[in-house]
Amino acid sequence: MAVPRSRISNSRRGKRRAHDFLSPKSLAKCTNCKSLVESHRMCDSCGFYKGKSYKKAEQA
């Protein structure tokens, strides 16, 4: 059974985990409606991506 030779101190463990945080999502402006959208995603409000409409017309 594997047993560590000595205890890892809190500061050493913290140094190792210093880069394990989540980075904020990168947002870009929609070219059609100018709302904030995640990069490389279709706009939720208008349905445009790269100048084309991908959202189906809403039925009445």
Side-chain angles (χ1 to χ4, degrees):
M1 191 159 117
V3 178
R5 286 182 181 239
S6 61
R7 184 173 188 266
I8 304 293
S9 68
N10 293 341
S11 62
R12 185 170 289 223
R13 183 194 66 208
K15 287 179 195 176
R16 184 180 67 247
R17 294 179 181 174
H19 304 287
D20 291 346
F21 54 88
L22 292 174
S23 57
K25 295 179 180 180
S26 58
L27 298 176
K29 284 189 178 179
C30 174
T31 56
N32 190 43
C33 67
K34 308 295 188 240
S35 64
L36 290 177
V37 184
E38 285 184 58
S39 298
H40 307 285
R41 299 287 187 274
M42 179 184 76
C43 179
D44 288 332
S45 58
C46 68
F48 269 70
Y49 176 65
K50 286 191 174 181
K52 294 181 183 177
S53 177
Y54 288 97
K55 195 177 252 185
K56 294 184 178 179
E58 299 201 17
Q59 298 177 358

